[in-house]
Amino acid sequence: MGVWASLDAMWEMPAEKRIFGAVLLFSWTVYLWETFLAQRQRRIYKTTTHVPLELGQIMDSETFEKSRLYQLDKSTFSFWSGLYSEIEGTLILLFGGIPYLWRLSGRFCGYAGFGPEYEITQSLVFLLLATLFSALTGLPWSLYNTFVIEERHGFNQQTLGFFMKDAIKKFIVTQCILLPVSSLLLYIIKIGGDYFFIYAWLFTLVVSLVLVTIYADYIAPLFDKFTPLPEGKLKQEIEVMAKSIDFPLTKVYVVEGSKRSSHSNAYFYGFFKNKRIVLFDTLLEEYSVLNKDIQEESGMEPRNDGEGDSEEIKAKVKNKKQGCKNEEVLAVLGHELGHWKLGHTVKNIIISQMNSFLCFFLFAVLIGRKELFVAFGFYDSQPTLIGLLIIFQFIFSPYNEVLSFCLTVLSRRFEFQADAFAKKLGKAKDLYSALIKLNKDNLGFPVSDWLFSMWHYSHPPLLERLQALKNSKQD
């Protein structure tokens, strides 16, 4: 009876109080669900202290223990940072942080001679203050993650000065993109009439395509050094493989990711006949800074036959050598190019834009509802930017959770398909060894709770991918 009485009392509340209560309730429900999943996975990290039998051939006990401790540290950090984030968000809502920041933005505009009629100007000041607040409150967590956790496990390559310079640069670049794009979007919504949602969607589509096009050429080089892959066997083999599947490759770059982290990656970008491939230096065995450090510590170049090297140096090379051989790099690229050949990139863009159109359409339906604004403390005004924030972040949150899970499931399916494509290229054996090396280099823990992995993993667990490739290897 008590539960039903509470529900009846809730429905008797004004609409704005029901909306506010539902938003808070759902937010904490999602947080508790995520915490439950994380604790299931954490139990795996704590109890799986020995290499499982099925992993005995692909992972040594030392690497297994290192990855276990790394993931335990990350899990602890995630718990406390997630709890802080949830409490911070709740307090902001309960104490009217959003309307307060809007009024503060109005005061700053007033000092500069802009009245309430300059809503777009006030919106830009609001965005600037909100992102500044987010950057400052997130900075201690980012510092701890980089200089304690990543440093402890050998991944961090940054100095404090480099980190701060990078953070300031990221904030400035973000504002240079966010503020002009937001002002134009708000203007389009203001003047678009009954069909503004179509124009707003088309505008965001164009912006996203432009950003994807210019990111690697003009934005990413502000943070990392990109150099063309030198002429040689690897570049020739990449070009041959690209040509064999009609991939319109124009350039291959190596990015100096090692100056900030030892984690590795590879990706391609570009539209139509202008595709480029980017390889992290940490992915390439001959480029890895860690491997060069090992050579310097040994005091000599390693001999091909291994003779003359001390047992200590041999052990160090065996345990610490990072990156993939050329054949394995080609296998990884075969997987990545499989995403292109199988249309995964286009499919993801289509899904993203269909979702974007639907959200703008529903925004157009809901933006006139005054109770949505009243629920979050806006009694006398209905600013467009605040409407976007309320509807996209809070009202759509249940839909966003469901969509995120569906995209995670789809992503895992795409990964299996891309692996199968690499197999068709004859790269099964090399992709098999590359996945093991990348898992070792990044200290990935190969054992996972089924529910946690189902909800979170955009890539299939390592053992599942290896099993699919192993069948092909045996054939």
Side-chain angles (χ1 to χ4, degrees):
M1 291 294 292
V3 174
W4 292 112
S6 298
L7 288 174
D8 288 340
M10 183 176 176
W11 283 110
E12 290 174 1
M13 292 180 182
E16 58 270 17
K17 290 190 178 295
R18 294 202 305 270
I19 292 170
F20 185 81
V23 166
L24 272 183
L25 178 63
F26 185 78
S27 177
W28 276 94
T29 300
V30 170
Y31 169 76
L32 292 174
W33 167 247
E34 294 283 0
T35 302
F36 166 72
L37 293 178
Q39 290 305 310
R40 287 176 62 101
Q41 182 62 23
R42 184 174 176 81
R43 195 178 303 118
I44 296 289
Y45 297 146
K46 282 187 171 183
T47 58
T48 313
T49 57
H50 300 287
V51 182
L53 186 62
E54 63 270 26
L55 291 171
Q57 299 299 315
I58 64 174
M59 195 174 220
D60 60 85
S61 57
E62 182 184 355
T63 303
F64 185 83
E65 181 64 9
K66 285 180 179 178
S67 66
R68 188 181 75 87
L69 295 177
Y70 176 52
Q71 297 301 332
L72 266 175
D73 278 354
K74 286 177 63 179
S75 173
T76 302
F77 174 81
S78 179
F79 171 79
W80 290 110
S81 61
L83 179 61
Y84 168 81
S85 179
E86 187 64 25
I87 292 174
E88 178 191 79
T90 300
L91 292 176
I92 287 173
L93 290 178
L94 287 175
F95 291 98
I98 297 174
Y100 170 78
L101 195 61
W102 180 257
R103 291 192 299 271
L104 184 62
S105 305
R107 276 194 222 109
F108 283 131
C109 288
Y111 297 149
F114 296 99
E117 66 275 14
Y118 290 92
E119 184 187 311
I120 293 179
T121 303
Q122 185 173 349
S123 298
L124 298 184
V125 176
F126 176 89
L127 279 175
L128 179 61
L129 294 176
T131 51
L132 180 61
F133 173 82
S134 178
L136 292 176
T137 55
L139 183 60
W141 296 100
S142 184
L143 283 168
Y144 185 87
N145 183 54
T146 301
F147 292 101
V148 177
I149 295 178
E150 296 293 298
E151 181 80 27
R152 179 186 297 158
H153 296 279
F155 288 115
N156 177 48
Q157 304 296 325
Q158 304 176 72
T159 63
L160 181 59
F162 178 89
F163 177 91
M164 295 306 299
K165 180 182 176 182
D166 208 42
I168 293 170
K169 196 187 298 182
K170 283 179 183 176
F171 183 82
I172 293 172
V173 171
T174 299
Q175 301 311 311
C176 289
I177 297 171
L178 176 66
L179 298 183
V181 169
S182 299
S183 63
L184 287 172
L185 176 61
L186 293 172
Y187 182 72
I188 289 169
I189 292 173
K190 288 287 187 184
I191 67 167
D194 293 339
Y195 298 100
F196 76 83
F197 62 93
I198 297 177
Y199 309 132
W201 167 69
L202 288 173
F203 172 71
T204 56
L205 170 61
V206 171
V207 169
S208 62
L209 294 178
V210 169
L211 287 176
V212 168
T213 303
I214 69 171
Y215 173 78
D217 286 327
Y218 300 102
I219 299 175
L222 295 173
F223 302 95
D224 296 300
K225 182 181 179 182
F226 287 72
T227 55
L229 181 67
E231 296 295 333
K233 186 178 179 182
L234 177 59
K235 185 176 181 183
Q236 290 173 358
E237 290 179 333
I238 290 174
E239 290 171 343
V240 168
M241 182 171 65
K243 189 175 181 180
S244 71
I245 62 171
D246 301 319
F247 182 78
L249 178 65
T250 56
K251 292 181 181 179
V252 183
Y253 291 107
V254 177
V255 59
E256 193 182 358
S258 57
K259 71 178 182 180
R260 68 177 73 244
S261 173
S262 298
H263 293 295
S264 51
N265 199 4
Y267 63 91
F268 69 87
Y269 69 97
F271 288 103
F272 309 113
K273 301 295 181 181
N274 187 30
K275 305 286 188 183
R276 296 144 192 230
I277 289 174
V278 176
L279 307 171
F280 278 54
D281 58 349
T282 48
L283 178 68
L284 308 175
E285 191 176 273
E286 61 187 73
Y287 275 80
S288 172
V289 172
L290 180 59
N291 297 341
K292 292 175 182 177
D293 290 344
I294 292 172
Q295 290 180 19
E296 289 175 3
E297 287 177 25
S298 69
M300 60 182 180
E301 292 293 320
R303 294 175 51 169
N304 292 332
D305 58 7
E307 294 180 7
D309 290 344
S310 70
E311 290 301 319
E312 181 182 352
I313 292 170
K314 286 181 181 178
K316 189 174 283 188
V317 170
K318 179 183 177 182
N319 293 330
K320 290 188 177 180
K321 201 166 187 181
Q322 182 189 48
C324 296
K325 297 177 181 177
N326 287 358
E327 297 81 6
E328 295 164 339
V329 173
L330 286 169
V332 172
L333 285 179
H335 168 95
E336 293 301 326
L337 296 183
H339 286 304
W340 170 81
K341 189 68 174 180
L342 298 171
H344 296 166
T345 307
V346 173
K347 290 173 185 175
N348 281 330
I349 290 174
I350 291 172
I351 292 171
S352 173
Q353 293 309 314
M354 289 175 61
N355 174 62
S356 178
F357 181 83
L358 174 63
C359 288
F360 274 115
F361 172 74
L362 293 176
F363 170 77
V365 172
L366 297 172
I367 188 63
R369 303 293 295 267
K370 185 178 181 182
E371 59 267 30
L372 290 178
F373 291 88
V374 173
F376 293 90
F378 289 83
Y379 303 100
D380 303 318
S381 62
Q382 299 180 39
T384 303
L385 177 67
I386 301 301
L388 285 167
L389 173 67
I390 291 172
I391 293 171
F392 276 75
Q393 183 172 337
F394 300 126
I395 305 303
F396 287 172
S397 53
Y399 164 74
N400 290 336
E401 287 295 323
V402 174
L403 177 65
S404 176
F405 173 70
C406 292
L407 291 177
T408 298
V409 173
L410 181 64
S411 175
R412 284 199 298 269
R413 180 180 176 84
F414 283 170
E415 292 301 318
F416 275 126
Q417 291 176 354
D419 282 351
F421 183 84
K423 282 164 51 176
K424 289 180 181 178
L425 295 177
K427 307 292 184 185
K429 181 180 178 181
D430 293 322
L431 184 57
Y432 187 95
S433 59
L435 290 175
I436 294 172
K437 281 189 177 181
L438 292 174
N439 185 79
K440 178 180 178 180
D441 289 347
N442 292 287
L443 291 185
F445 195 70
V447 184
S448 56
D449 173 74
W450 71 271
L451 191 58
F452 180 88
S453 63
M454 181 187 71
W455 187 261
H456 282 292
Y457 285 5
S458 61
H459 288 58
L462 177 65
L463 282 176
E464 293 182 20
R465 296 181 71 179
L466 293 181
Q467 186 60 47
L469 290 168
K470 190 175 182 180
N471 294 336
S472 176
K473 279 176 63 184
Q474 291 174 342
D475 297 340

